[in-house]
Amino acid sequence: MDLGLFLICFVIFHPQFKPMKEESILVTGAGGQIGTELVEALSKRYEKVYPADIRLPNHPTKNFIQLDVLDKPRMEEAISDLKISQVYHLAAILSAKGEQNPMLAWEVNFKGTLNVLEIAAEKKLNRVFCPSSIAVFGPNTPSVNTPQHTITDPTTIYGVTKLAGERWCVHYFQKRGVDVRSLRYPGLIGYKTMPGGGTTDYAVEIFHEALKNNHYTSYIAPDTRMPMMFMPDAIRATLNLMEAPTEQITIRSSYNVAGVNFTPRELSAAIKKQLPDFNIDYQPDFRDLIAQSWPSSLDDSAAANDWGWKPAYDLEKMVKEMLLQLQAKLV
Ligand code: NAD
Ligand code: SER
């Protein structure tokens, strides 16, 4: 037997060999902060990726379908017609917008998630991703190194919808056999898109304002610390979780995942190191109260132990990369 044939046989007959299934992937809320980058990453790995959103994209988008996650029959039809095998369900109303329109947040986040989970059960989809958030925690949760399993008493309607979503994920896994997976994303920071109305948005806006005006007025108080994550880490965490073998997934509510954590004062100091003329002032509003009810850092040892999670970016590395990429865009 020649070496090539030997190697092929070795791989195919290896006990851990699993041929990559051809997946057809629907991404709801694909026009948002995460969706824009996740679709790009998924499209590099899978041929059939269908971005969907209630809003039309403002540039030509391959395979785009307009879809309201509250329209269950239409979503069922799209999932059947496109032979969808996995859904990444990102459509949501975020925390700050949710506080301004609680009923809309409840409808979209809660009912939209239930629609996705129910269709996944009926159509026996291979896998579903339903992200959660640090917003499931509340003022009585231990704030430092917040454990995976702890008090969850959210004070925002957004947090309530996310916590309800987590519990429905457990139900659909246990009672209906849906392979649903989830991450409690911290605040996400990326240079490709603007965030969509969350409490953590300041940590993206600050970079844009620093480059344009050398100044930022923060609606979060100087010493309010929140867990955050650079988008490349968030995309990697998502793909690693979704591609992990089923037996490695022990948590079906949602995994804590940590990246970095900082206060506006620390973030502005890190930016000032790169842009010495930058300055910041503070006008805290209702979003600072939301932020104060959330953890300041997370214990993500369950994600590390189960499927090997480890962030790659610290504050300094993230700040340098954000400024470099945004400067290139501005040029
Ligand atoms: P985003 O606000 O940027 O995007 C959400 C998208 O959903 C938008 O494009 C919007 O048009 C779409 N949408 C709203 N209502 C819809 C409906 N009825 N039908 C279909 N689409 C609809 O949000 P994001 O930051 O990309 O967040 C994606 C997911 O990740 C959400 O579940 C969010 O709760 C979660 N998450 C995000 C962060 C973060 O910092 N970005 C942190 C924690 C959790
Ligand atoms: N970044 C999100 C928000 O601020 C957290 O889920 O709403």
Side-chain angles (χ1 to χ4, degrees):
M1 192 187 289
D2 74 9
L3 184 64
L5 189 61
F6 170 77
L7 283 174
I8 291 170
C9 291
F10 178 79
V11 170
I12 292 178
F13 295 115
H14 192 278
Q16 302 224 316
F17 174 71
K18 284 192 193 127
M20 178 106 171
K21 266 191 174 173
E22 196 184 291
E23 302 285 352
S24 181
I25 299 177
L26 179 74
V27 182
T28 74
Q33 191 195 11
I34 303 175
T36 309
E37 301 211 27
L38 188 60
V39 166
E40 212 179 287
L42 285 168
S43 302
K44 287 185 186 148
R45 298 159 102 93
Y46 302 94
E47 233 173 81
K48 296 180 192 155
V49 179
Y50 297 91
D53 204 291
I54 196 169
R55 285 183 295 154
L56 288 173
N58 49 17
H59 51 83
T61 303
K62 190 180 160 200
N63 293 341
F64 178 81
I65 34 179
Q66 192 167 21
L67 181 67
D68 179 351
V69 292
L70 295 177
D71 186 348
K72 187 166 174 250
R74 166 90 184 93
M75 186 150 56
E76 265 164 349
E77 189 184 81
I79 285 176
S80 294
D81 290 353
L82 301 169
K83 299 192 172 39
I84 295 297
S85 57
Q86 293 193 10
V87 177
Y88 285 70
H89 172 50
L90 306 180
I93 305 296
L94 273 74
S95 59
K97 267 195 192 167
E99 285 312 279
Q100 284 155 348
N101 198 339
M103 286 317 292
L104 178 70
W106 179 252
E107 287 280 311
V108 174
N109 299 5
F110 179 70
K111 287 196 187 158
T113 300
L114 264 191
N115 285 344
V116 168
L117 290 170
E118 186 54 33
I119 296 172
E122 284 164 10
K123 298 202 177 296
K124 302 201 180 326
L125 299 190
N126 290 345
R127 251 165 229 188
V128 180
F129 178 66
C130 280
S132 184
S133 162
I134 52 167
V136 298
F137 301 116
N140 296 302
T141 304
S143 162
V144 179
N145 220 16
T146 300
Q148 174 69 43
H149 301 288
T150 184
I151 297 167
T152 43
D153 58 349
T155 50
T156 58
I157 288 302
Y158 172 72
V160 171
T161 68
K162 288 286 159 186
L163 184 56
E166 284 191 5
R167 301 322 303 167
W168 276 105
C169 287
V170 172
H171 171 87
Y172 272 88
F173 170 71
Q174 287 179 344
K175 304 283 164 54
R176 308 283 299 278
V178 177
D179 187 348
V180 55
R181 303 172 181 205
S182 178
L183 299 175
R184 287 176 180 149
Y185 288 129
L188 300 182
I189 299 168
Y191 51 84
K192 294 191 182 169
T193 43
M194 292 306 282
T199 300
T200 56
D201 294 14
Y202 92 89
V204 179
E205 290 167 9
I206 192 171
F207 288 97
H208 290 260
E209 292 305 310
L211 287 170
K212 274 190 250 159
N213 304 320
N214 270 329
H215 178 78
Y216 181 64
T217 300
S218 173
Y219 58 80
I220 299 291
D223 297 315
T224 306
R225 181 177 298 280
M226 281 187 277
M228 300 276 185
M229 186 178 279
F230 194 33
M231 194 62 90
D233 269 346
I235 300 296
R236 194 166 49 81
T238 309
L239 296 176
N240 287 356
L241 171 75
M242 286 299 279
E243 290 173 358
T246 305
E247 58 277 12
Q248 285 180 11
I249 309 300
T250 64
I251 290 172
R252 294 294 177 166
S253 51
S254 194
Y255 280 96
N256 281 7
V257 275
V260 285
N261 65 78
F262 51 76
T263 64
R265 199 194 296 279
E266 289 166 355
L267 177 58
S268 66
I271 293 175
K272 211 171 161 59
K273 265 195 196 167
Q274 309 299 323
L275 304 174
D277 291 338
F278 174 67
N279 60 74
I280 186 166
D281 62 9
Y282 299 93
Q283 284 174 23
D285 66 17
F286 73 100
R287 290 169 285 187
D288 186 54
L289 293 178
I290 297 179
Q292 283 180 35
S293 75
W294 289 352
S296 52
S297 59
L298 301 169
D299 171 7
D300 63 357
S301 49
N305 293 336
D306 285 3
W307 44 275
W309 168 242
K310 193 168 183 273
Y313 285 85
D314 60 18
L315 178 59
E316 195 183 328
K317 198 169 160 194
M318 181 192 78
V319 166
K320 279 189 180 156
E321 184 70 7
M322 276 296 282
L323 291 172
L324 192 76
Q325 296 292 344
L326 287 176
Q327 256 155 351
K329 263 184 153 184
L330 283 177
V331 169

